[in-house]
Amino acid sequence: MNIDGKLAAQQLREQLAIEVKDLEAKANICPKLVVILVGDDPASQVYVKNKVKQTQEIGMVSNEIRLAEDTSQEVLLGHLYKLNEDTSVHGILVQLPLPKHIDESAIISAISPNKDVDGFHALNSGRLFNGEPGALVPCTPQGCVMLAKQHLGNDLSGMHAVVIGRSNIVGKPVAMLLLQENCTVTITHSRTKNLPEVCQQADILIAAVGIAEFVKAHWVKEGATVIDVGINRITTDDGKTKLVGDVDYNDVVDKCGAITPVPGGVGPMTIACLLKNTITAAKQSVS
Ligand code: NAD
């Protein structure tokens, strides 16, 4: 069975559109997101375009700042300092990856934690780690947990969640969120021994590896919920390209209880959660 991320994202956006109207009526603020794109990476351009479009569709304000590939770190930091001070801006997102001459961690640290709608600032990671309310939580991990709950219901307590991947963007934060949901969490990675055997124990299996069709049916417990975060472009036998996940969908689909397809699973939830974070940041700016 497929978990429909497109539908879930659409439902979340509809709910967020109501929250935006409410916020305008009650607090007279309209959440505003500014997205900065450095360089002209085609994939990043598509992501940014979608983010801006979906922000506007639910009644929020969105600005895009496009900077040349050779923009210096100082110039980018200058933009961030201005946006940090601008009270009409509630969310700031710098599209990653950045050109090699720019230090990504210095840029992430320079974004005000209150406007860090990607949730990558160390203060927000720390808040998530400590289970503190008010953290701006990375978008993709939030989407993963929402999709797992869509199939399993709101109570995930006691379930064994196995996460493949330990990145700061997906693996670690999704593990923290699942721990908050009272799952028993195992984080696995490139040095994990007997990975298929560890994965076989999972009631919830989250794959965030970046290797096309890595997870096979014999890794998956009968009836498990599989959340496939991977986005990998492969070339098929007829020379065309297509997107596949980190899970071998055709192999796994009949063994698992439910699976997020790629495309149409976790991907659409990521932008919807970015909108959610911007609204949260706007609400927190007046509370
Ligand atoms: P990353 O490269 O930062 O991390 C990959 C992780 O996989 C690492 O922690 C590594 O230890 C682990 N790994 C690598 N080889 C392994 C192996 N052989 N066995 C077990 N673990 C192994 O990647 P990321 O940023 O976390 O992204 C992971 C995937 O998710 C990518 O395909 C990426 O495109 C995708 N992604 C999708 C979205 C979305 O919106 N759907 C968002 C972010 C990332």
Side-chain angles (χ1 to χ4, degrees):
M1 173 192 175
N2 272 357
I3 303 175
D4 189 341
K6 258 190 183 170
L7 181 65
Q10 186 195 319
Q11 288 167 344
L12 178 56
R13 286 196 303 271
E14 284 167 8
Q15 193 190 314
L16 294 174
I18 297 169
E19 282 187 42
V20 171
K21 277 201 181 125
D22 251 32
L23 205 54
E24 278 196 294
K26 290 184 185 143
N28 197 26
I29 51 170
C30 183
K32 179 172 174 180
L33 172 70
V34 176
V35 183
I36 303 184
L37 175 61
V38 186
D40 39 31
D41 175 60
S44 293
Q45 283 182 14
V46 174
Y47 291 142
V48 167
K49 202 174 133 207
N50 284 337
K51 283 169 185 171
V52 170
K53 183 169 164 268
Q54 291 189 26
T55 308
Q56 291 166 347
E57 273 170 7
I58 67 158
M60 291 165 41
V61 179
S62 187
N63 266 8
E64 186 187 334
I65 299 177
R66 283 193 177 221
L67 301 172
E69 177 84 23
D70 61 356
T71 300
S72 70
Q73 184 161 317
E74 288 63 37
V75 168
L76 178 54
L77 286 170
H79 281 279
L80 292 177
Y81 297 145
K82 265 195 211 147
L83 294 169
N84 284 346
E85 294 300 315
D86 183 343
T87 51
S88 75
V89 175
H90 305 101
I92 305 168
L93 182 147
V94 179
Q95 183 65 43
L96 303 178
L98 286 166
K100 294 219 162 31
H101 65 277
I102 298 179
D103 176 2
E104 245 170 48
S105 65
I107 297 303
I108 291 168
S109 307
I111 298 172
S112 161
N114 301 328
K115 301 187 180 188
D116 165 42
V117 283
D118 250 342
F120 296 157
H121 192 287
L123 194 77
N124 282 314
S125 314
R127 284 180 181 148
L128 172 62
F129 189 90
N130 289 351
E132 282 175 28
L136 290 169
V137 175
C139 303
T140 302
Q142 278 192 66
C144 291
V145 174
M146 285 179 192
L147 291 177
K149 282 185 170 180
Q150 178 162 307
H151 178 64
L152 293 165
N154 276 337
D155 185 8
L156 306 182
S157 66
M159 293 185 189
H160 188 178
V162 175
V163 180
I164 318 176
R166 57 175 162 182
S167 71
N168 289 341
I169 290 174
V170 190
K172 283 186 212 164
V174 82
M176 286 301 131
L177 285 177
L178 290 162
L179 197 57
Q180 276 179 13
E181 296 292 338
N182 299 313
C183 289
T184 302
V185 182
T186 303
I187 306 176
T188 68
H189 47 79
S190 52
R191 308 285 177 91
T192 297
K193 289 186 179 143
N194 307 322
L195 185 59
E197 285 81 356
V198 178
C199 293
Q200 277 162 17
Q201 295 169 26
D203 302 307
I204 303 169
L205 182 61
I206 313 260
V209 197
I211 303 176
E213 300 176 327
F214 184 58
V215 176
K216 304 292 178 190
H218 71 277
W219 299 32
V220 176
K221 181 161 87 175
E222 191 89 42
T225 301
V226 179
I227 307 293
D228 188 353
V229 184
I231 303 177
N232 310 288
R233 188 167 287 283
I234 60 162
T235 306
T236 54
D237 293 340
D238 56 6
K240 291 187 180 150
T241 66
K242 68 167 184 172
L243 290 182
V244 296
D246 289 343
V247 178
D248 188 337
Y249 179 91
N250 291 329
D251 199 35
V252 167
V253 66
D254 291 333
K255 179 95 178 277
C256 65
I259 183 167
T260 58
V262 178
V266 174
M269 288 301 283
T270 297
I271 300 187
C273 290
L274 172 69
L275 309 182
K276 181 171 172 281
N277 276 355
T278 308
I279 295 170
T280 301
K283 282 183 187 163
Q284 288 176 351
S285 75
V286 287
S287 65

